Amino acid sequence: MNAYNKTLFNLVKTLHDQVCHDGNELGRKLHVSRSAIWKTIKKLKQYGLPIESVQRKGYRLREPIVLLDAEIIDLGLKDPDVAVVLYEQVSSTNHCARAYPQARLEVCLAELQTDGKGRLGRKWHSPFGKNIYCTCFYRFEKDMTELAGLGLVTGLAIYQTLKDMGIDDALSLKWPNDVMYRGKKLAGTLIEVEAEAHGICDARVGIGINVNMTDASAITQPWISMHDILKRSIDRNALCIKLITHLRKCLAQFETHGFKYFIDSWQKCDHFMQREVVLNQMQQAFHGKVVGINQQGHLLLEFKNGEIRAFSSGDTSIQKPNAEG
């Protein structure tokens, strides 16, 4: 886990103009040695940033990039109960320890994950400086059994954030943890809960959003980014401010009212509503029509015989024609 390197941050900020900058000039401007500049350039290249070394001219970025800035996010939030911690590199934001346990909501952000995880242990592709990788720590005065549906509530917070950023009605929520755009994955959540004494639970709310990523051959499932949808580079700091604001509100509502408060909102953007799906659970497949969710956030499947069953977990996908019921 690497704390944020100020030299790296300031160097990227300087190179943002895509003009060539001499190494000596950069060293003087950033108050570090030319050797420190060279080492930081080398690290940025290893991270995959498109930096050119131009003979007798210096270094330049081939495309602009703006890194996350905890100060900008804090100023935008104006919320003393929220603490933002920013890392240059982590294995996974869900592995971060709380730095400010007194904060009502603590948000851990990273520019790079070396071992980012999605649901069911799947790898989450996490290139440097492109997307949002974050984990929000929130303490609930609830029993663990009352936190069913937390992942769906988080999905709704992401959904509203993306709407605020200008993405249209092609957005949908795929039970239990994906945000979709025209059938392609745009964002996902990963929830981990630890029970404490006296009916208190600590939740780690992991969120990944594809933001400015335009190429990722390592991803095998259909995916899309905000950049692909809006045809422009996205200000990730502005996105973080909106995301944290919506999440803070949704978590407070969830703590007060429970998941039943969100059922109508979820069902309006349910990717599977009234569609035939196959749900894989353990080593068994269930075929049926999605007819909603219950007050625990469990998926309701209606079978051909009219029976309706609730499922608390499983992998869901659209049922192919002629699949057995």
Side-chain angles (χ1 to χ4, degrees):
M1 187 178 299
N2 292 352
Y4 218 97
N5 184 312
K6 269 295 183 183
T7 299
L8 182 144
F9 177 86
N10 290 328
L11 180 57
V12 173
K13 191 173 182 179
T14 302
L15 295 176
H16 177 74
D17 60 11
Q18 298 175 264
V19 173
C20 276
H21 292 267
D22 176 75
N24 290 324
E25 169 206 332
L26 289 169
R28 287 192 298 271
K29 184 172 183 176
L30 303 184
H31 306 291
V32 296
S33 67
R34 180 170 182 143
S35 175
I37 294 295
W38 179 82
K39 288 178 182 177
T40 306
I41 290 287
K42 183 178 179 182
K43 177 186 279 191
L44 289 169
K45 287 181 176 180
Q46 290 171 345
Y47 284 161
L49 264 67
I51 295 181
E52 287 182 344
S53 300
V54 183
Q55 193 172 15
R56 297 190 184 89
K57 290 186 177 181
Y59 308 103
R60 66 179 289 269
L61 269 171
R62 289 199 301 273
E63 60 188 52
I65 180 171
V66 177
L67 298 182
L68 293 172
D69 189 326
E71 290 184 10
I72 289 177
I73 296 169
D74 279 332
L75 285 171
L77 291 171
K78 297 184 179 67
D79 189 337
D81 292 327
V82 177
V84 177
V85 184
L86 178 57
Y87 292 96
E88 178 185 318
Q89 174 180 310
V90 296
S91 58
S92 166
T93 57
N94 267 36
H95 296 163
C96 293
R98 291 201 73 158
Y100 299 98
Q102 75 279 8
R104 191 72 184 90
L105 175 67
E106 181 178 330
V107 183
C108 172
L109 291 161
E111 288 288 13
L112 171 71
Q113 292 184 127
T114 57
D115 192 26
K117 288 287 191 296
R119 190 166 154 270
L120 303 177
R122 296 179 180 128
K123 186 173 180 61
W124 189 273
H125 188 61
S126 309
F128 181 87
K130 293 288 187 180
N131 303 321
I132 296 297
Y133 321 117
C134 93
T135 294
C136 301
F137 300 87
Y138 194 89
R139 173 160 287 189
F140 287 96
E141 294 184 5
K142 285 179 175 288
D143 185 84
M144 186 182 287
T145 58
E146 299 178 85
L147 297 188
L150 178 57
L152 278 63
V153 171
T154 303
L156 281 166
I158 300 170
Y159 180 92
Q160 190 56 58
T161 299
L162 296 171
K163 297 279 280 187
D164 284 357
M165 294 295 291
I167 297 180
D168 64 23
D169 292 335
L171 279 174
S172 62
L173 295 173
K174 178 182 173 185
W175 186 92
N177 71 318
D178 291 342
V179 183
M180 311 292 287
Y181 180 85
R182 300 192 189 281
K184 296 180 179 180
K185 188 166 179 173
L186 178 56
T189 66
L190 179 64
I191 309 297
E192 297 176 349
V193 178
E194 295 178 5
E196 302 290 338
H198 311 299
I200 293 176
C201 288
D202 284 329
R204 292 172 181 249
V205 180
I207 296 172
I209 304 176
N210 298 331
V211 184
N212 290 321
M213 181 170 66
T214 56
D215 179 42
S217 57
I219 302 178
T220 56
Q221 67 183 112
W223 66 276
I224 197 165
S225 69
M226 295 178 67
H227 186 285
D228 292 335
I229 298 166
L230 297 173
K231 308 303 180 187
R232 58 178 172 82
S233 182
I234 308 302
D235 182 341
R236 292 182 303 137
N237 289 302
L239 175 61
C240 281
I241 292 167
K242 290 184 182 294
L243 174 64
I244 296 166
T245 300
H246 280 296
L247 188 63
R248 175 94 163 91
K249 180 180 178 181
C250 285
L251 291 176
Q253 291 170 333
F254 179 66
E255 183 159 35
T256 301
H257 304 292
F259 183 70
K260 63 182 183 293
Y261 182 84
F262 296 92
I263 290 178
D264 288 345
S265 297
W266 170 271
Q267 295 191 154
K268 287 176 183 176
C269 45
D270 188 339
H271 184 72
F272 288 127
M273 180 62 86
Q274 297 298 318
R275 302 177 79 176
E276 298 288 335
V277 304
V278 55
L279 184 146
N280 291 296
Q281 190 180 68
M282 306 298 285
Q283 294 183 337
Q284 193 170 3
F286 299 90
H287 299 263
K289 182 172 69 174
V290 173
V291 292
I293 51 176
N294 65 15
Q295 292 194 4
Q296 289 74 45
H298 298 167
L299 186 71
L300 299 176
L301 275 190
E302 181 180 12
F303 298 104
K304 288 185 176 179
N305 62 4
E307 177 192 4
I308 295 177
R309 285 182 58 184
F311 293 84
S312 62
S313 63
D315 245 3
T316 45
S317 58
I318 301 298
Q319 184 171 308
K320 295 179 181 178
N322 303 319
E324 294 183 4

